[in-house]
Amino acid sequence: MDYDIIVIGSGPGGYVAAIRASQLGMKTAVVEKAELGGICLNWGCIPTKSLLKSAQVLEYMQHSEDYGIKAEGVSADFAKVIERSRSVADGMSKGIQFLFKKNKIEHLQGFGKLTAKNTIEVKNDAGESKTYTAKHIILATGARSRQLPNLQQDGKKIIGYREALTLPKLPKSMIVVGSGAIGTEFAYFYSTMGTDVTIVEFLPNLVPLEDEEVSKTLARSFKKKKVKVMLDSSVESVDASGKLCKVSIKTKKGVEEHEAEIVLSAVGISPNLEGIGIEELGIELDKGKVKVDDFYRTNVEGVYAIGDIVHGPALAHVASAEGITCVEKIAGHHPQPVNYENIPGCTYTVPEVASVGLTEKQAIEKGYEIKVGKFPFTASGKASAAGAKDGFVKLIFDAKYGELLGGHMIGANVTEMIAELVVAKKLETTGMELIKSIHPHPTMSEAIMEAAAAAYDEVIHI
């Protein structure tokens, strides 16, 4: 065998799996046809956060007088904002190159395809092919923007997230279809930059996977920013033949006609399974994704799959956890399976959204008798001083045993705070333990302690 492990794909699942494999003494290679780091580092998580930071800085400066500071003539250089985003992404991709060299991981440039259970063919851009063998092959090919029949992306007027990261100029108007993390983040960025933005969501709430109170608070925030929010609505068709896209939107009141310079499709992702040997090897699929066990083994011995191509939340940190678990099992260790009931989710709008575990509605549907505690940031000294009073922390506990079932936050910096609740939930922490854990004052994070106290009618302080 040429290698102990070959990983196809270098995103957060693939490169983390490869590094862990090398650390455990296995000869490792990664097949990647594009930039190292996959979508997350190059066309997703990282560059979008750069754009959002630029928008946040602009928003701060536009409201600087709220802090006693005059900043006149503030404007955004859209091209420079995009340039900075690409620079940040390039830097992160080069960081993966460094990690590969440090860990003696070989980068096999090209498109990888399984030709047998221990064999892959790698074809480079010149069309030249080379065959490699490995005891174990991990598929980590990720996903791409989902195409809908009535919303076919042309890359110019009807775009996906990749094009949204590199538009040549700031559009005057944009319709964002879908209000998950991708849709709401781009809606915040472009509206702050000055684009007239409309969000169209098929379901009755923004960020529909979140707690309903969080969703409603985010919707109010968007409306304050002059973003039009259309819920219970769907795009029926888009005519992109003219200067502006003509969009037919079905609402409860009937079909409405809207126009926009750009239509951004943010309706989810599709796994990259085409052409990688799935059918030829008879790898079993389940509802369009690779079927795996708790340690990411497929039905074909020696072939594994992780990340967006298997069932579970399509999140970078989930793919990384899956990759580590998969590799440690291969190495003969005894890792615990990933607990999919304790996965943090983050949306980096302003205000930010973060959550873990059950929503209030889900907890009730599962038959729990619950205690709910909520603490608004309007009562937080740190939030008031920072001028970031929008939002709250909401915690859900099992009334019988006191165990934390779920945590839901919306507000400044909550994506940095959610990890406390992930650890607490893993340790089966109770509400009283959170109350009695001293949090620093003044911080945004003490709202977690205060929310727990509210659930148990404990005395709180500001």
Side-chain angles (χ1 to χ4, degrees):
M1 296 287 180
D2 296 318
Y3 299 95
D4 295 311
I5 287 184
I6 292 177
V7 183
I8 301 180
S10 73
Y15 82 74
V16 169
I19 290 170
R20 187 65 182 131
S22 179
Q23 289 172 342
L24 294 174
M26 290 181 270
K27 186 180 180 184
T28 307
V30 174
V31 181
E32 177 56 66
K33 66 174 182 176
E35 308 95 338
L36 290 179
I39 292 297
C40 177
L41 269 65
N42 295 283
W43 300 100
C45 320
I46 304 304
T48 55
K49 301 312 158 285
S50 173
L51 296 181
L52 291 167
K53 186 61 181 180
S54 293
Q56 188 180 36
V57 170
L58 176 61
E59 200 166 40
Y60 265 132
M61 295 178 74
Q62 289 172 336
H63 296 89
S64 64
E65 288 195 16
D66 295 346
Y67 301 87
I69 297 169
K70 287 187 177 181
E72 297 177 355
V74 175
S75 63
D77 185 331
F78 185 72
K80 289 288 185 183
V81 168
I82 297 295
E83 182 183 332
R84 177 179 183 273
S85 171
R86 299 317 310 155
S87 176
V88 169
D90 290 344
M92 294 301 297
S93 184
K94 288 174 182 175
I96 302 301
Q97 293 177 29
F98 168 77
L99 289 173
F100 276 17
K101 289 179 182 178
K102 179 183 176 182
N103 290 280
K104 298 179 181 178
I105 298 166
E106 189 172 349
H107 174 200
L108 307 178
Q109 176 75 44
F111 184 88
K113 178 181 179 179
L114 286 161
T115 55
K117 70 176 185 178
N118 298 113
T119 308
I120 65 165
E121 178 188 72
V122 179
K123 184 179 288 187
N124 64 22
D125 292 339
E128 301 166 338
S129 296
K130 193 170 181 180
T131 298
Y132 300 90
T133 59
K135 296 175 185 175
H136 309 278
I137 297 172
I138 301 175
L139 304 176
T141 51
R144 62 191 182 277
S145 181
R146 182 183 173 202
Q147 292 269 14
L148 293 181
N150 57 335
L151 196 60
Q152 288 292 323
Q153 297 169 32
D154 60 17
K156 295 178 181 179
K157 291 182 179 179
I158 307 173
I159 64 173
Y161 57 81
R162 288 182 72 117
E163 294 83 9
L165 286 164
T166 56
L167 286 179
K169 65 181 183 67
L170 181 69
K172 292 181 179 178
S173 56
M174 175 183 286
I175 291 175
V176 178
V177 186
S179 74
I182 294 172
T184 52
E185 287 178 10
F186 276 119
Y188 168 73
F189 169 70
Y190 277 103
S191 65
T192 304
M193 287 288 115
T195 301
D196 181 10
V197 175
T198 298
I199 300 175
V200 180
E201 170 56 54
F202 178 74
L203 294 171
N205 292 304
L206 286 182
V207 284
L209 296 181
E210 300 294 341
D211 187 90
E212 285 185 19
E213 285 190 82
V214 169
S215 299
K216 289 174 182 176
T217 301
L218 184 62
R220 285 195 296 269
S221 175
F222 270 133
K223 287 174 183 176
K224 285 181 189 175
K225 298 179 194 297
K226 309 298 185 189
V227 174
K228 185 175 182 181
V229 176
M230 300 180 68
L231 302 173
D232 291 306
S233 302
S234 60
V235 172
E236 297 292 286
S237 64
V238 180
D239 179 0
S241 61
K243 187 176 180 181
L244 296 176
C245 295
K246 295 181 178 179
V247 185
S248 295
I249 302 173
K250 185 179 180 181
T251 72
K252 284 185 173 181
K253 297 179 180 178
V255 176
E256 297 180 7
E257 301 296 330
H258 292 255
E259 290 186 332
E261 204 172 310
I262 295 288
V263 176
L264 169 59
S265 178
V267 291
I269 57 174
S270 297
N272 294 321
L273 295 175
E274 298 84 359
I276 62 172
I278 295 288
E279 297 85 359
E280 290 86 340
L281 262 71
I283 293 173
E284 192 174 348
L285 300 181
D286 177 30
K287 297 177 181 178
K289 292 195 173 186
V290 180
K291 186 177 181 180
V292 293
D293 66 10
D294 287 346
F295 298 102
Y296 308 101
R297 295 172 289 210
T298 70
N299 62 307
V300 176
E301 185 183 0
V303 179
Y304 311 77
I306 61 173
D308 296 353
I309 63 172
V310 303
H311 288 288
L315 299 169
H317 44 282
V318 173
S320 296
E322 292 172 345
I324 291 170
T325 301
C326 177
V327 167
E328 289 182 348
K329 186 67 174 179
I330 290 170
H333 292 208
H334 302 284
Q336 291 183 343
V338 172
N339 179 5
Y340 290 96
E341 294 183 356
N342 196 25
I343 301 294
C346 297
T347 303
Y348 300 84
T349 49
V350 174
E352 294 179 349
V353 174
S355 63
V356 67
L358 300 177
T359 65
E360 182 177 356
K361 183 179 179 182
Q362 288 168 340
I364 293 169
E365 288 173 347
K366 284 181 175 289
Y368 285 102
E369 184 181 341
I370 60 175
K371 286 182 179 289
V372 178
K374 186 175 170 184
F375 185 79
F377 285 122
T378 51
S380 163
K382 178 65 182 291
S384 292
K389 295 192 290 183
D390 282 352
F392 57 85
V393 172
K394 178 180 180 180
L395 303 181
I396 295 127
F397 300 98
D398 177 8
K400 185 176 181 181
Y401 297 109
E403 184 180 341
L404 176 68
L405 299 175
H408 307 274
M409 310 178 186
I410 180 168
N413 299 320
V414 297
T415 59
E416 303 295 337
M417 292 162 50
I418 193 64
E420 176 183 346
L421 294 183
V422 177
V423 174
K425 195 168 182 300
K426 180 174 176 58
L427 298 175
E428 299 181 349
T429 298
T430 66
M432 292 307 298
E433 287 171 324
L434 283 174
I435 295 167
K436 299 305 179 183
S437 297
I438 299 171
H439 286 63
H441 176 77
T443 61
M444 302 292 284
S445 65
E446 65 186 327
I448 292 173
M449 176 184 69
E450 302 286 11
Y456 287 85
D457 297 320
E458 291 278 320
V459 176
I460 62 173
H461 70 276
I462 296 176

